[in-house]
Amino acid sequence: MTRAASPLEANAAAALADRRLQRALAEVPGGFAAARERAKAALPEFEALRRAARDIKDHTLANLDLYLEEFEDNATAARTKVHWAPTAAAASDIILAICRESAARLITKSKSMVSEEIGLGARLQAAALEVIETDLGDYLLQIRAEAPSHIIAPAIHLGAADIAADFRRHHRQLPPERDLASPEALVSEARGVLREKFLAADVGITGANFLVAATGSAIIVTNEGNADLTLSLPKVHIVLASIEKVVPTLEEAFVLLRLLARSATGQEITAYTTFVTGPRRPQDHDGPEACHVVLLDNGRSDLLGTNLREVLRCIRCGACMNVCPVYGAIGGHAYGSVYPGPIGAVLTPALPGTHDGGELAGASTFCGRCESVCPIEIPLVALMRRWRERAFASGSWRQRGMLRAWALLAAHPRAYHLMARLAVATLHLLARGRGAFSRLPFADRWTRTRDFPAPQGHTFQRLWARQQRKQPP
Amino acid sequence: MATGETKKPRVGLFVTCLVDLMRPSIGFAAVRLLEAAGCDVLVPAAQTCCGQPAYNGGDRASAKALALRTIAAFEGLDYVVAPSGSCAAMLKRHYPRLMAGDAAAEARARAFAERVHELTAFLVDVRGLNAVPGTFAGRVAYHDGCSGLRELAIARQPRALLGAVQGLELVELADREACCGFGGLFSIKYPGISDAIAERKTAAITAAEPALVLAGEIGCLLNIAGKLAREGSDIACRHVAEVLAGEMSAPPIARTQVRK
Amino acid sequence: MLAKIRAALRAGPTDESRRRALEARRAAPVRPPVPARARVPEPERLAQFKACLAAQGTDVLPVAQPSQIPGAVADYLRAHALPLRLRRGADPDLAALPWQDEPALVVTEGPARADESVGLSRAVAGVAETGTLVLASGPHNPVTLAFVPDTHIVVVRCEAIVGGYEEACERLAAELGSPALPRTLNLISGASRTGDIAGRIVKGAHGPRRLAVILVEECRDQRLVP
């Protein structure tokens, strides 16, 4: 999988120059955002649900240990095997062991951000297991060996022509004269190829949108139905989910489900919302014989009880990135993380093994649009600021120096005002009557793409003081 | 004082560092408007910067120190008014948060925050101003600065005041709640991304075909004006206070001459 | 892992007060808000259900009585030039239908096979809130019938149409005689679709291309009454 290792700015420059990506970015995120607005307008209780969802999540996180225990008890009672994975490596080990135990060779997989996070695909492939991504967008990326660029629409950066070319290259049974001109034809081709895999798979791995403690169930939502084929056809079903996915009851899950699709794509509900509880029952004629749930920590428990814990409320809807001006300019790959956009900026530095150190949190205008659309009211701007505080505390002398110098100066009004008068007078002189600079030695990063307006020449404080002196009290 | 005469409220103008340095005419426009709204305006000399750069840069300690100084500088005044949504939000919403853990300072900051208002919000919501000195014949677009919009719910007020300007035709921008890409230091830390975001904003502005684009935020205006100028656009940029107060003698931002 | 979580939350494993608080909450839950659209009373509820199905692009085939179901199915398959073959589960209600009335229709029983063209299921409930069908897996209702075939047809009785998801769960518990969930509970709100290729919505990405609902508007047969 290609994942950028270079700093954000270099990635961003490449993304800004990528015309195909820019075309996709001009349409897709905004389309989702507009659809969300329509869905919200059509549901009068939307804001009440947001508040309720936030409270449900906060309550659950404050009692996460107890709810995880309840989940394990009820899942086990339904004959699910529950596994605890403190780290990414542990989770992959557990899943590999399950696959080996069932002599698996072919594995189908539905969308799971967590599986990307832990690099599961690579581990399975290294063990000579064939893994097929079944979410169409993920499948398209898999055959290109690319990483997802959006958590809901991972392949938005690809055009139909790219996909047709990929299929011709990758699908060996595909006759050359077959028409692949339309999206319908491409979907049909993918359906045919993946259908064989679904039917032949030994193990099906899914993520989970939620885990319900009261029933020991996993909730998985899709529009394609690929998760359902993944979890019903093979002999073994593995659910991989991070611990913060737990919700106490079905009733509370419905609150979150009512917000999820609306926030993600503007749909009222996805075509398929599936609740799985344990393996097939003794009298069932289909369904897996074994069902496993792997609970992943990988840095989440380090956030509990800290001023970053609100990150764990996230239900992975993608609404934040759909309205983020930075994401809208550079797309998901530029973030160099499994999780892009605003949520990526606050979650990525918390994950073990990512060497972000808060850089993503630094690349924000703090416009706040993300938190205005977050269905569980995550205070994204405040969280980004907290990461910036951590970065500042451990930053270089030079980085801290500039900010400290300004603050120091601002703390001494007379010196500040003097320096200000000198600076603006100088700049005004340099401007030589022009309204702006098209080039300015110390401000090249600005003037590369914009003119820098010239100051009017005197400070307000100076002019005001003069004016006051002229007027009698 | 004669019986029955209401005392004029004493308003401290929080100039903001960028207005102070770059465009004092905004400050004078603000003063004129506040006086038109029946206020006595004072400008404490001890004010410098609200502390946003430090706060958003992660230097909480410096921001807190600046906040305490600002609060002290505006002691004893009835109101504190800033011609900037971001600075007003900093003083009103974030100063109390900066003092968390320090009960006495937090109380002071809360009391201070009660008196803080953004300029257009103050004029409309507190002073009930519905007539303004300025006139402008032409099409005008208004850009909502993100902090003012999302932290202080400022959108209706500037538009209400612009509605009172004789001859002015207000047009709304497509995706009007979109950021302009300034973001303070973001504009120079990530100039490529900032520029791309600014381009979307100027494209929306150009498409709306106004003669003038206004905002209540000098940071946004420097960014937008600079970008429009680089694009060779004819569209002028000013702070909304300038039009409302009829303070149009200075050239528009980034321009050399006064254009109609 | 649990120990680490408890440490982060500053809670001890034998912290009885927390457990008691959760017990209390379970016993007397604060009901979260349920939207008005999930509480539409009859008779508007049926109209809402149908309107949502239509908006999804799901075909609605109303029949007055269960005995008309085989005819409705055969007509539907003929109208769409589909093979007159269907697979159903061992559901006694579906088994008891007069399939002999449509001799051209080949009806088999069991889970879906690889090239299944039409699957027939019975829904435990229909949810008017979003036009959602509620299907519970079991010996009488193989889950694969809802996903493998090209076309999925679902029978729903009008009195099984509830307002919201919460009510649907209650109805399910009543039918199963227990609050415990089956292996799979499917909430289906339309045919399979994807927008992953060039942002265009295309039906039939993996799951059924076509979804049809047979709405039984009257019910005299004893077996279909709970």
Side-chain angles (χ1 to χ4, degrees), chain A residues 242-263:
Chain A
S242 46
I243 53 177
E244 83 281 10
K245 295 288 173 75
V246 172
V247 298
T249 61
L250 283 178
E251 199 177 30
E252 286 159 303
F254 288 132
V255 175
L256 295 163
L257 283 168
R258 285 178 173 118
L259 289 168
L260 176 58
R262 286 180 169 96
S263 302

Side-chain angles (χ1 to χ4, degrees), chain A residues 123-145:
Chain A
R123 284 290 303 274
L124 293 172
Q125 263 151 8
L129 293 164
E130 190 189 349
V131 184
I132 304 289
E133 293 289 342
T134 63
D135 178 297
L136 187 55
D138 289 333
Y139 175 72
L140 298 175
L141 295 172
Q142 185 180 32
I143 62 181
R144 294 170 68 90

Side-chain angles (χ1 to χ4, degrees), chain A residues 10-308:
Chain A
N11 293 350
L16 290 168
D18 182 340
R19 248 177 275 173
R20 220 163 39 199
L21 174 65
Q22 289 299 317
R23 270 201 299 272
L25 289 173
E27 283 173 28
V28 181
F32 284 144
R36 175 207 173 262
E37 284 298 309
R38 286 192 296 270
K40 178 184 168 188
L43 187 66
E45 300 86 353
F46 194 91
E47 288 299 318
L49 286 172
R50 265 179 101 196
R51 286 189 295 270
R54 176 202 64 204
D55 293 342
I56 290 167
K57 273 288 186 172
D58 281 348
H59 166 78
T60 310
L61 291 168
N63 295 282
L64 191 59
D65 54 334
L66 299 176
Y67 282 119
L68 283 169
E69 281 182 336
E70 189 187 350
F71 174 79
E72 185 184 36
D73 289 342
N74 289 320
T76 307
R79 294 186 303 121
T80 299
K81 189 119 201 316
V82 177
H83 310 260
W84 299 78
T87 63
S92 293
D93 288 341
I94 290 165
I95 293 174
L96 257 171
I98 297 169
C99 292
R100 283 209 190 96
E101 222 173 76
S102 42
R105 272 166 320 180
L106 174 62
I107 299 171
T108 44
K109 223 182 124 272
S110 73
K111 177 189 286 300
S112 162
M113 301 300 306
V114 171
S115 70
E116 294 280 326
E117 183 188 319
I118 67 173
L120 178 65
R123 284 290 303 274
L124 293 172
Q125 263 151 8
L129 293 164
E130 190 189 349
V131 184
I132 304 289
E133 293 289 342
T134 63
D135 178 297
L136 187 55
D138 289 333
Y139 175 72
L140 298 175
L141 295 172
Q142 185 180 32
I143 62 181
R144 294 170 68 90
E146 266 182 30
S149 68
H150 186 287
I151 68 180
I152 299 296
I156 62 172
H157 57 290
L158 299 176
D162 301 310
I163 298 165
D166 290 331
F167 282 179
R168 291 207 189 279
R169 203 173 38 237
H170 198 84
H171 292 174
R172 276 179 238 111
Q173 318 277 36
L174 177 56
E177 66 277 7
R178 174 91 87 77
D179 166 41
L180 289 182
S182 63
E184 287 77 10
L186 291 167
V187 170
S188 196
E189 168 63 16
R191 181 194 174 90
V193 167
L194 285 165
R195 187 49 70 104
E196 283 174 33
K197 305 292 183 185
F198 281 125
L199 292 162
D202 304 303
V203 172
I205 302 178
T206 66
N209 296 86
F210 304 104
L211 299 171
V212 184
T215 59
S217 312
I219 305 179
I220 299 141
V221 319
T222 67
N223 275 313
E224 295 175 20
N226 59 308
D228 297 280
L229 290 165
T230 301
L231 59 86
S232 325
L233 291 169
K235 286 209 172 62
V236 178
H237 174 209
I238 305 175
V239 178
L240 174 61
S242 46
I243 53 177
E244 83 281 10
K245 295 288 173 75
V246 172
V247 298
T249 61
L250 283 178
E251 199 177 30
E252 286 159 303
F254 288 132
V255 175
L256 295 163
L257 283 168
R258 285 178 173 118
L259 289 168
L260 176 58
R262 286 180 169 96
S263 302
T265 59
Q267 293 174 283
E268 293 180 339
I269 189 172
T270 49
Y272 303 107
T273 301
T274 301
F275 301 69
V276 291
T277 314
R280 74 199 291 183
R281 299 301 141 84
Q283 316 293 349
D284 288 357
H285 297 294
D286 54 14
E289 286 160 12
C291 181
H292 300 258
V293 171
V294 180
L295 297 169
L296 177 73
D297 185 340
N298 203 35
R300 274 93 173 145
S301 57
D302 287 324
L303 294 171
L304 287 169
T306 70
N307 68 355
L308 292 167

